[in-house]
Amino acid sequence: MADVFRGLKLLETLKEMIENNKLSDVKDAVEDLLISRINVAIVGDRGDEKVTFINSLRGLGPGDEGAAVFPSPAASEEVAGYPSPKHPDFRLWDLPPVPSTSPFEPEEYMDRVKFLRYNAVLMTFTQTPQSNSVEVFFEALSLQRKTVYFILLASQKDTEKTLEAKRKASLDILTSEGVKQPKVYLVTPATLEKFDFPKLLEDMGRELPEVRAHALLLALPTLTPALVTQKKEAFKALVWAAASLSGGVSAIPVPLVASMVDTSVAVRILTKAQASLCLDNESVERLARQRGVEPTRLKDLQTCVLSMEVSKEEVKKRLAAAEKDLSTVSSKLMGIAMPRHARSASRSFAAMLQALNGAIDDMAADAEKIMSTAVSEGK
């Protein structure tokens, strides 16, 4: 899989904020990443494929608590919201299909569904896109909204041959309607790791604002081992920012205060990492059920204590160990990691960086083992 969000340079952006003493901006970015605040709209007919797609983006399968159901209980013109079970500020919005009436005013539809409130809009279909959907796309572009995507959802009766035929027909329609260099992403709703979903994530990562793209990445389920790696790198950027705020940029460090802040922030970050990497007990059991694997088979792969439970005591122990072992942090690493004006200011920065990065490496290793085993041994 291509490097998801490889175009993002969040860490460089955060470092620039620190260098310019914009600490409030760094704090806002950390909070946004910890909350995963992002809204994604799914437009299209409320068929089984769309419902499955919405559930898969939330890490849910049919029958799971909170899963969207088919037929939808929402009225035909109603907008329905579905929060992620582990990331409540990552919300998917089920929007009614674009009307096929003629004449058609895209502005009226967009106003009715509050189109501009969403960070990204996925225009789904199972055959080919209709002309009025293309009009909505053009209207969005005129309003400087580029994060609108055409998604061909595969049905159970589709074959690779029929899907490629539908994709070609869809591209022909978009070209004839005047869309320049059109893209149609082929997605299998129940198994997102197949076909074009990774490419969709890559494009969204490039076109969304950096913090929103990372929020999306952290809130998505661990679909592939490659995605685990991307999550790990995103958390390391978050760790750097949090370490800078809690101790790294303090001109006069206050050890007791810094320690209290470090522990509190560290617990929040690692709790978020556990949920994002789908390591909590509920997520592991859900994955096992979806893949047809015994839950104990996956749980036995967890070797990091923090993968199973993020406790304040364990976090304190890791931070204390890192403080005692700061000699292992090379001067080269410190020179690269710390803001120029803070490199001699605080041991708290170095301790938090070392302790949390090591914890995230361990948790990500567990997540990769679990996902790889679920994929290779699952039904």
Side-chain angles (χ1 to χ4, degrees), residues 69-243:
V69 296
F70 174 74
S72 172
S76 59
E77 297 302 312
E78 182 181 345
V79 174
Y82 295 96
S84 167
K86 295 296 178 182
H87 310 276
D89 279 289
F90 169 43
R91 288 183 174 269
L92 294 169
W93 299 90
D94 180 5
L95 271 56
V98 176
S100 57
T101 55
S102 181
F104 171 68
E105 295 295 335
E107 299 91 340
E108 292 182 8
Y109 171 81
M110 295 170 74
D111 287 344
R112 177 161 55 85
V113 300
K114 297 180 173 57
F115 195 94
L116 296 180
R117 72 158 55 167
Y118 311 109
N119 301 110
V121 178
L122 310 182
M123 311 281 286
T124 67
F125 51 91
T126 57
Q127 296 297 324
T128 55
Q130 56 152 312
S131 295
N132 289 354
S133 294
V134 181
E135 287 195 42
V136 171
F137 173 79
F138 279 127
E139 180 65 19
L141 289 184
S142 73
L143 297 173
Q144 306 300 313
R145 297 299 300 270
K146 298 181 179 179
T147 52
V148 180
Y149 308 91
F150 291 103
I151 313 294
L152 171 58
L153 295 178
S155 65
Q156 290 185 346
K157 60 184 179 182
D158 277 320
T159 64
E160 287 196 29
K161 184 176 180 180
T162 61
L163 288 171
E164 284 305 324
K166 288 181 181 180
R167 189 212 297 267
K168 183 180 183 305
S170 298
L171 289 171
D172 289 343
I173 289 173
L174 294 176
T175 300
S176 68
E177 295 280 352
V179 179
K180 296 180 180 179
Q181 298 181 324
K183 291 183 179 180
V184 172
Y185 301 89
L186 173 57
V187 174
T188 47
T191 49
L192 297 180
E193 67 271 16
K194 295 181 178 180
F195 294 112
D196 297 335
F197 188 74
K199 175 61 177 173
L200 172 64
L201 286 186
E202 184 179 342
D203 289 346
M204 291 176 71
R206 184 169 53 250
E207 292 160 0
L208 282 166
E210 289 178 340
V211 172
R212 294 288 168 261
H214 271 67
L216 175 63
L217 172 66
L218 300 188
L220 286 173
T222 51
L223 303 170
T224 65
L227 196 57
V228 172
T229 300
Q230 299 299 319
K231 286 174 178 275
K232 178 176 71 173
E233 296 308 314
F235 272 106
K236 287 189 174 182
L238 174 57
V239 165
W240 184 92

Side-chain angles (χ1 to χ4, degrees), residues 10 14 18 37 112 126 206 226-227 239 270 299 304 363:
L10 182 62
L14 292 168
I18 291 288
R37 185 179 290 113
R112 177 161 55 85
T126 57
R206 184 169 53 250
L227 196 57
V239 165
L270 295 179
K299 292 179 181 180
C304 176
M363 296 169 78

Side-chain angles (χ1 to χ4, degrees), residues 309-329:
E309 181 184 6
V310 179
S311 67
K312 194 171 185 178
E313 291 71 23
E314 177 65 20
V315 172
K316 282 183 176 179
K317 184 168 71 175
R318 287 186 176 242
L319 287 170
E323 285 239 31
K324 291 180 181 179
D325 198 30
L326 283 181
S327 59
T328 63
V329 181

Side-chain angles (χ1 to χ4, degrees), residues 287-315:
L287 176 63
R289 184 168 61 251
Q290 292 171 357
R291 296 284 179 167
V293 180
E294 283 295 321
T296 53
R297 172 73 178 109
L298 300 184
K299 292 179 181 180
D300 287 345
L301 298 171
Q302 293 177 311
T303 57
C304 176
V305 173
L306 292 167
S307 294
M308 294 171 275
E309 181 184 6
V310 179
S311 67
K312 194 171 185 178
E313 291 71 23
E314 177 65 20
V315 172

Side-chain angles (χ1 to χ4, degrees), residues 322-363:
E323 285 239 31
K324 291 180 181 179
D325 198 30
L326 283 181
S327 59
T328 63
V329 181
S330 70
S331 59
K332 181 179 180 181
L333 171 61
M334 293 295 292
I336 293 173
M338 291 189 72
R340 282 195 299 269
H341 63 276
R343 286 176 186 167
S344 61
S346 177
R347 291 167 58 87
S348 175
F349 176 94
M352 191 170 184
L353 198 69
Q354 180 172 310
L356 268 65
N357 279 350
I360 287 169
D361 280 336
D362 293 342
M363 296 169 78

